[in-house]
Amino acid sequence: MKSSTHKPTERVLNILQLLSEKRDGITLTEIAQSIHAPKSTIYPIIQTMLDRKFIHLDKSTLKYTLGISTLGIGASYLNNEEMIKFIKKEMNYIVNRIGETSQMGILDGGNVLYLLKEDPNKDNDIRLVSYVGKRLPAYCTALGKALIYQYNKEELQLLFPEGLKRFTKNTVTDFDTLEKQLKKVKIDYIASEIEEITKHVCCYAVPLNVNEKPVAAISVSIPTFRITKEKIELTTELLLHVKDKVEEYFSAVNFEVDGGAMGKELR
């Protein structure tokens, strides 16, 4: 089947996604190498994006970062203030009860895109590799597993055509094990990972469903040295409680999903 991908458009999107992951900036040469395109080809694209302020060039380092125009697009994506307030309020409820970090993300291809993060009102003594705007592989994060819990083995192999890369000694690296984990999520709606993406950190998450399909997920991250049976029980209880409240809210506001992604949700 002939691909419908439009190469110039794909390069624009690849540049934006790359810069969203490189918060300290990246040079033209590095951009070209990362997206596998000649500098001569992407230079006119870069110049147009500069003119439109979608990217910014630091002339002292010659590194590109995201520009102010991307902020406007992001703000419009998240401009349903009441919905954002409601979700953040529920995340804060979890944080205040459990004293740990809560995050929300959506599925972006085979990755989790982190959209919201709420930290406890204390010095955070754990270092998470995730942050708002970060993308991490779905197969080794609790948020990701909550988002792909309805996938079977064949669908997982299509979602991750290059296989399951190892990040730590605990990372799930075979599809049979991953499918088995996801089948459990179908039963209790609780996804988990223990030091699969970050050492000394475990995470629990629940899917937020619309019409029985996950559109987002909410998680709690806990350092392993603070894990107890009682804390796990409280964490899952809080997550399931918030899951019910958010899904009720989605229903009350006639929240709809376009194409299985969070397309209309926050517009």
Side-chain angles (χ1 to χ4, degrees):
M1 182 182 294
K2 186 177 179 180
S3 173
S4 61
T5 300
H6 183 247
K7 209 67 179 174
T9 304
E10 183 181 44
R11 285 173 174 153
V12 171
L13 298 176
N14 285 342
I15 291 169
L16 287 172
Q17 182 167 331
L18 179 64
L19 293 181
S20 75
E21 298 168 354
K22 304 290 184 180
R23 296 194 292 177
D24 294 329
I26 187 170
T27 66
L28 178 63
T29 298
E30 291 169 330
I31 292 173
Q33 291 172 345
S34 296
I35 68 171
H36 308 293
K39 285 198 292 185
S40 59
T41 300
I42 65 171
Y43 182 75
I45 298 174
I46 292 289
Q47 289 302 118
T48 301
M49 295 173 75
L50 273 173
D51 292 342
R52 298 286 297 273
K53 294 183 170 53
F54 281 96
I55 62 176
H56 171 76
L57 174 64
D58 185 329
K59 294 183 179 179
S60 63
T61 64
L62 297 181
K63 288 186 175 183
Y64 295 91
T65 55
L66 289 176
I68 191 67
S69 291
T70 59
L71 176 62
I73 290 177
S76 67
Y77 183 72
L78 298 173
N79 71 357
N80 189 322
E81 187 175 357
E82 291 306 313
M83 183 175 288
I84 293 299
K85 280 183 179 180
F86 184 86
I87 295 174
K88 287 172 71 72
K89 177 174 71 73
E90 294 304 318
M91 291 172 67
N92 270 307
Y93 169 75
I94 293 175
V95 171
N96 292 335
R97 287 289 308 277
I98 203 74
E100 306 291 353
T101 296
S102 178
Q103 298 182 95
M104 188 193 82
I106 62 171
L107 193 64
D108 180 22
N111 296 317
V112 177
L113 172 60
Y114 289 77
L115 291 182
L116 297 174
K117 181 181 179 183
E118 295 296 322
D119 288 313
N121 293 321
K122 63 179 181 180
D123 292 336
N124 199 338
D125 51 5
I126 60 173
R127 286 184 172 272
L128 301 177
V129 295
S130 56
Y131 51 81
V132 173
K134 178 73 172 180
R135 290 174 175 83
L136 291 174
Y139 62 85
C140 57
T141 61
L143 279 175
K145 292 176 186 180
L147 290 163
I148 62 174
Y149 78 96
Q150 296 179 345
Y151 283 55
N152 60 34
K153 182 178 177 180
E154 291 71 26
E155 291 168 331
L156 292 170
Q157 290 172 327
L158 289 173
L159 189 62
F160 306 109
E162 297 180 3
L164 310 179
K165 174 186 172 184
R166 183 181 296 280
F167 289 87
T168 73
K169 66 179 183 179
N170 289 352
T171 305
V172 58
T173 55
D174 70 274
F175 288 104
D176 288 327
T177 301
L178 179 59
E179 184 182 36
K180 184 177 179 180
Q181 291 178 353
L182 300 184
K183 285 181 178 178
K184 185 177 182 300
V185 183
K186 288 181 181 179
I187 298 171
D188 58 18
Y189 293 114
I190 296 292
S192 64
E193 59 91 359
I194 301 175
E195 298 184 276
E196 287 192 46
I197 191 70
T198 307
K199 290 182 179 180
H200 313 302
V201 176
C202 60
C203 192
Y204 298 86
V206 291
L208 303 178
N209 290 340
V210 172
N211 297 324
E212 300 183 357
K213 296 291 183 182
V215 296
I218 290 179
S219 69
V220 173
S221 299
I222 309 172
T224 52
F225 67 85
R226 283 204 291 267
I227 279 293
T228 62
K229 179 182 178 182
E230 292 74 21
K231 191 153 197 173
I232 293 173
E233 290 176 350
L234 177 58
T235 298
T236 56
E237 177 186 325
L238 291 170
L239 285 169
L240 289 170
H241 172 73
V242 167
K243 169 183 168 63
D244 288 342
K245 290 196 67 175
V246 173
E247 289 178 354
E248 286 176 6
Y249 180 88
F250 286 162
S251 178
V253 299
N254 295 318
F255 178 79
E256 296 180 3
V257 181
D258 183 12
M262 249 184 143
K264 294 171 63 179
E265 72 289 15
L266 301 179
R267 283 207 295 256

